[in-house]
Amino acid sequence: MEGPFGSDFVPDIVKQFVVYLYRHIRERNIPEIQSMYEISFPKLSERYFKNGPWPAVDLVSDLVDQDHVFRLLYNELYFRHLFAKTQPSLRARCESWDNYCELFGVILHGNVNMQLPVPWLWDMVDEFLYQFQSFCQFRAKLAHKSAEEIELLKDCDKVWALLDVLNVLQALVDKSGIVASLEVDGGAALLASGGYPANVSNVLPVLGFFSLLGQLRVHALVGDYATGLSALYPLNLFERRGLFTSVLPPAHISLFYYASFSYLALRRYSDAAACLNIILSYVARVKAFHARNAAYEQMLKKNEQMYALLACAVALCPAVQKGLDEGVLAQLREKYADKLARMARGDEGPYEELFSYGCPKFVSPAPPSFDNPQAANVQEAFRQQLSSFLKEVRACAGLPLLKQYLLLYSSISVAKLASLLEMDEAALRQALMALKNKNYVMAWDASAGNDMTGGSFVSVADIDFFIDADPATGAELVIVKEAVSTRGQVEAEVLSRHIAKLQAITKELSAQPLLPAAPAPAAAPAY
Amino acid sequence: MQVKGADRYRPDMLPALEKAVDEQAAGAKPFSLDVSLAVLRLYALQPSVARPETVARILLRALAQLPAADYRTCAYLVPERMQADEPLSSIVLLASHLESGRLADFWALAHGSRDMLAMVPGFMDEARRFVAHTLAITFARLPKRQLGDALRLEGRELDAYVAERVQRDGWTLAAGDAVVLPRNEHNTPSVRRAAEVVALDAVLPALMAA
């Protein structure tokens, strides 16, 4: 693929960009690097390389003293642009893999003393994993490939392999010592320095930090949710003072998106809802500041996906609404009132639709079977996760009706309830036990500390009950503990908050207006 | 055996990890989720080396951890194709019965699969422990016969089981051949919330003003 000027031509302004970027990196001039990275690079890409790649690195190497590290950084940008604008070839994918390995190798084993903007370091990890995901999907699409292409692909078993990707992230975590330093102060120093610790290169510590998030993401992509969540240690999603990602929305969103999805998959509905609530309120707060940002579209897309996941969590476990902020709840109702109602009736359609829309792009860990290209299915990983989810939905399908009946009574005999539901008593007991089990879930609490897989079992029932037998007659009774519907309760709380707010405003308005600081008359008139 | 950090991603660790899984299954070692996941991860990467019996041992031991989510956590890593074949298909069904309270189905299938379940000694006891847990959050008291059905125990075995729980876990026997389960927050009445739909304090000023 060639740019508009032929393969060897480098526009002067692009040469200048390269020269200045090189100089600023050498001078460790963060504001200038950041501005070139965030503003000039996209501008030049748009102006000169809208449909094709940037000049090959060899064409600009002479401008930068053939500097090895700069060449790697330039290539990082080059391939990112290539992936964004074109359908990358197998060769480009392999070269980009090699470039990342070399770049991370230099950072891990060389003595790097440069400073790079934090957003660039985040994008590096993010792009590395995006290209991994993209390769896995590319690899699985065998049906459209020629025999020759498949042969080439077979030989590429060393690029973008899951274990190698995980090992790179693990090496960055280990070498940076980030876990030990987070254990000391919970990330306060990193946050206070804005990601630019004094007198040392920020590259390894910040990459190490982002690699924790990267591990969560990769593990979640293959369905290994518990390992992903435990990889976050010692980051704490629920006690967030000093959480460094809060200064960088794309990283913060990625962290909470993959964490909340993992909790949802592990049936930890209250943790999933808590994480989604945190991040959706965060997005609502910060999105206005990023409206001109390149990442803005991405942010909105994730926002929508996360509302879809929240709808699933709420439908499966209505009690989690109690913990949601008013704004988040209002948005959820606005977007999905209709679907929530259908899901509450046990309709599987919206579950499938919302899960498919909200879930990450799963990857199959293993290469496809090259001998049988027609059987390769790029959707396989997604299908498996979807079918596990729907199985859970089906297992809960009869429960809403049962809850509807329980709502009507403070106590009812097992025999009578069974006849109302037109089932036999044994089946009813079984359904009641299932309801109890589904509502008995693990939720993070302070006792788990910074272990995001830890917690205690709690009941997340919106209607709780138990069965007792009358000692005299032996008649079994279902005794309903809480007959207040979640919805009514949530609305009551919202209303009472608004009443209090209105009250405060009225009070303020009717208070005596403060006199402006006009000078009092010099001498009060004598009466 | 511990498996942490970079060790989780080392294919050459597989034989040692498989051995650890066998020891866990035999009950010689406590169940380790990390070890189990490391094995399943390596199998997922290289389906040709995956041993269904090892996966079966992992899933059964994970299932025995209920109500903890270890089974679900592990099952996500087992390819659907593999789950469709024996012995895993039976384990998947056992898990589904057990989690959904279909105890009669569970015990019938467990009985039919007892040769396979023998791979994991103590599995039946762990399943009973989980059933007892489910009963304890659902029932305050229940007829002994129902208890026997739920646990698939009768006669002397049931008496011995109940006697042990009476001694160890605070179960009591009551009139009419009923078993009273220890009180916990799940099987006792809680304060009804009707009174606090709206906290009076929150709206009192507004009401006073009006």
Side-chain angles (χ1 to χ4, degrees), chain A residues 246-258:
Chain A
S246 60
V247 299
L248 195 69
H252 205 54
I253 292 171
S254 168
L255 170 61
F256 279 89
Y257 169 72
Y258 286 104

Side-chain angles (χ1 to χ4, degrees), chain A residues 90-390:
Chain A
L90 177 59
R91 190 193 173 93
R93 291 172 190 275
C94 293
E95 284 174 357
S96 182
W97 165 252
D98 290 342
N99 192 69
Y100 271 116
C101 288
E102 228 179 304
L103 178 59
F104 290 138
V106 167
I107 290 166
L108 284 167
H109 308 299
N111 208 354
V112 172
N113 62 2
M114 62 186 169
Q115 298 268 18
L116 287 178
V118 170
W120 190 349
L121 294 170
W122 164 253
D123 290 342
M124 230 180 243
V125 174
D126 187 52
E127 180 71 14
F128 177 61
L129 298 183
Y130 166 75
Q131 291 190 17
F132 159 70
Q133 245 172 307
S134 168
F135 182 83
C136 291
Q137 258 131 27
F138 170 80
R139 178 177 72 174
K141 284 184 201 148
L142 286 184
H144 308 292
K145 290 190 174 60
S146 67
E148 190 186 358
E149 280 174 308
I150 291 175
E151 275 313 304
L152 285 172
L153 197 53
K154 257 196 216 174
D155 291 338
C156 294
D157 57 342
K158 293 281 183 291
V159 299
W160 297 113
L162 176 70
L163 287 187
D164 293 329
V165 169
L166 286 169
N167 272 317
V168 167
L169 297 174
Q170 186 68 42
L172 289 167
V173 169
D174 289 345
K175 186 82 189 229
S176 65
I178 188 72
V179 172
S181 87
L182 289 172
E183 273 175 335
V184 172
D185 67 353
L190 189 63
L191 186 65
S193 70
Y196 305 100
N199 307 323
V200 289
S201 164
N202 70 335
V203 172
L204 195 52
V206 174
L207 281 179
F209 182 93
F210 289 143
S211 295
L212 297 172
L213 279 63
Q215 287 184 321
L216 165 65
R217 173 167 164 190
V218 176
H219 284 298
L221 287 178
V222 297
D224 192 353
Y225 303 108
T227 309
L229 287 168
S230 59
L232 288 178
Y233 177 86
L235 299 183
N236 193 325
L237 301 164
F238 302 98
E239 288 175 355
R240 297 178 309 288
R241 252 162 312 174
L243 196 56
F244 177 57
T245 50
S246 60
V247 299
L248 195 69
H252 205 54
I253 292 171
S254 168
L255 170 61
F256 279 89
Y257 169 72
Y258 286 104
S260 54
F261 186 82
S262 301
Y263 282 131
L264 188 63
L266 294 177
R267 253 180 61 192
R268 295 175 61 145
Y269 300 124
S270 52
D271 288 335
C275 284
L276 288 167
N277 185 54
I278 290 164
I279 194 64
L280 289 168
S281 346
Y282 172 87
V283 173
R285 251 189 343 267
V286 304
K287 71 175 178 199
F289 303 110
H290 296 272
R292 295 158 157 278
N293 227 313
Y296 186 60
E297 293 296 312
Q298 273 292 335
M299 194 188 277
L300 294 187
K301 167 96 195 283
K302 274 276 169 291
N303 194 55
E304 294 306 303
Q305 283 186 295
M306 294 190 293
Y307 270 109
L309 296 180
L310 183 61
C312 292
V314 165
L316 285 166
C317 183
V320 300
Q321 289 174 84
K322 273 184 262 177
L324 300 180
D325 287 358
E326 217 174 299
V328 172
L329 194 60
Q331 281 282 307
L332 178 70
R333 294 249 172 87
E334 196 183 311
K335 289 177 202 291
Y336 293 124
D338 177 45
K339 293 201 167 87
L340 282 168
R342 284 170 58 199
M343 291 193 279
R345 291 196 297 270
D347 184 349
E348 208 175 291
Y351 279 110
E352 175 165 359
E353 186 188 322
L354 294 175
F355 180 91
S356 307
Y357 175 69
C359 73
K361 282 204 161 77
F362 299 108
V363 301
S364 297
S369 137
F370 291 113
D371 306 328
N372 188 4
Q374 297 310 320
N377 182 1
V378 68
Q379 295 272 27
E380 193 181 5
F382 162 70
R383 287 278 151 217
Q384 173 161 4
Q385 300 299 321
L386 176 65
S387 89
S388 303
F389 176 71
L390 292 180

Side-chain angles (χ1 to χ4, degrees), chain A residues 265 380 384 387 436 467 481, chain B residues 76 78 80-81 138 140 185:
Chain A
E380 193 181 5
Q384 173 161 4
S387 89
K436 276 287 194 179
I467 306 172
K481 289 164 65 170
Chain B
Y76 278 122
V78 181
E80 260 183 332
R81 263 168 291 125
T138 312
E185 58 173 308

Side-chain angles (χ1 to χ4, degrees), chain B residues 58-85:
Chain B
I58 289 174
L59 291 183
L60 283 174
R61 276 293 261 148
L63 187 56
Q65 308 301 310
L66 277 172
D70 302 52
Y71 170 78
R72 167 179 314 273
T73 308
C74 290
Y76 278 122
L77 282 173
V78 181
E80 260 183 332
R81 263 168 291 125
M82 204 171 181
Q83 292 193 24
D85 293 336

Side-chain angles (χ1 to χ4, degrees), chain B residues 162-182:
Chain B
V162 172
E164 195 193 327
R165 304 298 301 243
V166 165
Q167 204 170 42
R168 207 184 57 201
D169 297 326
W171 293 22
T172 46
L173 293 166
D177 225 8
V179 179
V180 181
L181 301 175

Side-chain angles (χ1 to χ4, degrees), chain A residues 437-452:
Chain A
N437 270 338
K438 298 293 175 201
N439 282 326
Y440 188 77
V441 304
M442 175 87 97
W444 182 87
D445 61 12
S447 73
N450 294 339
D451 174 8
M452 292 299 104

